[in-house]
Amino acid sequence: MNFELIHNDTKTNARAGLITTGHGTIETPIFMPVGTQGAVKAVHMTELKEDIKAQIILGNTYHLYLRPGLDILEKAGGLHRFNSWDKPILTDSGGFQVFSLSDNRRLHEEGAEFRSHIDGSRHLFTPEKVMDIERTIGADIMMAFDECCPGDADYDYAKKSLGLTERWLARCVKRFKETEPKYGYPQSLFPIVQGCVYPDLRTRAAENVASIGADGNAIGGLAVGEPTEKMYEMIEIVNEILPRDKPRYLMGVGTPANILEAIERGVDMFDCIMPTRNGRNGQLFTPHGTMNMRNKKWEYDFSPVDENGPSWVDRLYSKSYLHHLIKVNEILGLQIASIHNLAFYLWLVKEARKHIIAGDFSIWKTQMVNQLNNRI
């Protein structure tokens, strides 16, 4: 994998770059739609490519390991061939999913024991096993196995958790170097910076991650319950340490405003379930703010969903029709809202890139954040 910095903003830490992988190039900053189980919910691959303009999507190690299972994925030739996506894929290591199973998992030095949310069966994820699983899935970018520390954890717990994550990371790196890609194209491993909301722990974690010299680096354990301003503070601390010539990936974040604030602080890559999850609940993101399509105010509004929106669904369907579909829980409504939101997120980061290169990112970003916080 190669990362090329195209332009650095002179007034902020925002940057525009190019990531080159075995499945194509990615223009940064970039938003990555979440395809947890090998599919982005309610969206076809052709829509992802042609309408939404996605350049990379995510898969999840935990879910894909359980279903369809490694045997099927390997016989298919990896996730790219299994789901017919020929652009880059990143896989989360499953650490967050194991974290979310707090009542059904146990952490120890060897790894994380957990019960499947599907049938209650017992499993053990070790750093070595997770590397092997991600090799089999065939992601272009593999994430290291970590413990996602709760945002409200006390210092002692956060310090202990970080120690475990760092020891697991060393084992991930060792296993990654001992193994080879299975499908004829290169794979990269991204370490993850943890440390909760404690500056000294985040500094320690970032220094350790930077010393590894990986192809890229991730910032995890944010947007998990801590105040928003704390999240921004941690990003600033970490990005002062992480290498400037490698992409930086902020995991699981977030709202459109969160993304612009993080771009300003030097982040290059983002993912979040919010565009599709909120879309399925009737919330649309637009450059002028959010729209709740369940509200009665749209019942007789026959104007397009978003006349100047980036997606064809914005102009084909009316607000009244989408309100009706969402209200009756019609699947088409969930599809329209998901496509709209994903297209908007990809439009937003593309616009950010354009303004970084043009040299007016700071002015544009301030105006845009003010608009994004409106409720229409």
Side-chain angles (χ1 to χ4, degrees):
M1 195 189 86
N2 182 62
F3 179 58
E4 179 187 1
L5 270 174
I6 303 298
H7 193 85
N8 288 284
D9 185 54
T10 57
K11 296 181 179 178
T12 70
N13 289 319
R15 345 88 67 85
L18 274 179
I19 300 172
T20 304
T21 75
H23 282 95
T25 58
I26 304 159
E27 296 181 341
T28 64
I30 191 65
F31 179 81
M32 304 178 284
V34 177
T36 300
Q37 303 190 79
V40 177
K41 290 186 185 298
V43 181
H44 290 289
M45 292 300 177
T46 51
E47 292 166 334
L48 278 171
K49 292 177 186 177
E50 297 171 11
D51 185 41
I52 294 166
K53 304 290 193 292
Q55 299 177 45
I56 175 174
I57 63 172
L58 268 69
N60 182 263
T61 295
Y62 167 85
H63 288 283
L64 293 169
Y65 161 78
L66 292 176
R67 293 185 300 196
L70 301 183
D71 183 58
I72 290 174
L73 287 169
E74 186 155 20
K75 287 179 178 176
L79 183 57
H80 289 90
R81 291 189 178 178
F82 187 60
N83 71 359
S84 301
W85 177 256
D86 60 4
K87 292 178 181 290
I89 294 176
L90 180 149
T91 42
D92 189 358
S93 67
F96 180 79
Q97 281 66 38
V98 172
F99 155 73
S100 68
L101 296 170
S102 56
D103 295 332
N104 292 302
R105 55 100 165 141
R106 186 170 70 88
L107 302 179
H108 48 75
E109 194 65 36
E110 180 62 16
E113 292 183 60
F114 61 91
R115 286 185 178 273
S116 164
H117 71 287
I118 301 165
D119 59 11
S121 57
R122 290 183 177 274
H123 302 270
L124 172 65
F125 269 12
T126 66
E128 294 79 9
K129 184 171 183 177
V130 168
M131 292 297 95
D132 293 347
I133 294 170
E134 293 189 80
R135 287 290 197 196
T136 298
I137 294 170
D140 300 88
I141 300 173
M142 302 163 45
M143 303 307 300
F145 190 51
D146 64 335
E147 182 194 356
C148 183
C149 183
D152 59 355
D154 62 40
Y155 184 85
D156 289 341
Y157 182 93
K159 185 176 181 180
K160 181 179 177 183
S161 171
L162 177 58
L164 184 62
T165 288
E166 290 179 330
R167 293 190 296 277
W168 283 357
L169 174 57
R171 290 164 58 190
C172 284
V173 172
K174 182 175 183 294
R175 185 65 173 178
F176 179 78
K177 291 179 177 179
E178 291 171 348
T179 56
E180 295 291 334
K182 293 187 174 186
Y183 309 115
Y185 54 84
Q187 294 177 282
S188 295
L189 174 65
F190 281 23
I192 302 172
V193 176
Q194 291 287 352
C196 198
V197 295
Y198 302 104
D200 62 320
L201 296 184
R202 285 285 174 178
T203 298
R204 166 185 144 183
E207 289 173 347
N208 180 61
V209 162
S211 72
I212 291 170
D215 287 342
N217 301 295
I219 307 168
L222 293 175
V224 289
E226 80 286 351
T228 302
E229 289 308 316
K230 268 291 178 187
M231 175 175 72
Y232 297 150
E233 179 189 349
M234 295 304 106
I235 293 169
E236 291 171 4
I237 289 169
V238 168
N239 279 350
E240 282 297 313
I241 299 166
L242 292 181
R244 297 182 184 276
D245 61 346
K246 302 291 177 66
R248 301 161 177 160
Y249 163 34
L250 180 59
M251 305 180 72
V253 178
T255 67
N258 290 159
I259 288 173
L260 293 186
E261 294 288 355
I263 289 173
E264 184 178 63
R265 291 163 171 81
V267 175
D268 308 294
M269 304 169 69
F270 302 87
D271 80 284
C272 190
I273 62 171
M274 192 171 284
T276 47
R277 183 192 62 191
N278 288 31
R280 295 194 305 275
N281 286 300
Q283 184 183 47
L284 300 188
F285 297 99
T286 81
H288 308 291
T290 57
M291 300 165 59
N292 183 352
M293 299 312 298
R294 294 184 181 277
N295 286 351
K296 191 174 178 60
K297 67 182 290 185
W298 309 117
E299 191 171 15
Y300 289 94
D301 189 333
F302 301 106
S303 65
V305 170
D306 187 351
E307 192 166 6
N308 299 310
S311 169
W312 60 271
V313 300
D314 296 328
R315 292 171 292 283
L316 181 61
Y317 300 108
S318 72
K319 296 182 182 75
S320 175
Y321 182 56
L322 182 55
H323 166 76
H324 159 69
L325 296 178
I326 295 292
K327 187 176 178 181
V328 300
N329 203 31
E330 168 57 49
I331 292 173
L332 178 59
L334 313 185
Q335 291 179 303
I336 293 169
S338 296
I339 292 169
H340 165 88
N341 281 347
L342 286 172
F344 169 71
Y345 266 64
L346 268 295
W347 171 86
L348 185 68
V349 292
K350 185 176 181 180
E351 284 293 298
R353 176 185 171 86
K354 185 172 76 176
H355 286 282
I356 291 168
I357 294 171
D360 62 351
F361 171 77
S362 184
I363 296 170
W364 172 82
K365 174 255 174 184
T366 299
Q367 294 172 340
M368 185 59 67
V369 167
N370 288 336
Q371 293 172 198
L372 292 170
N373 289 327
N374 292 331
R375 290 177 181 267
I376 301 174

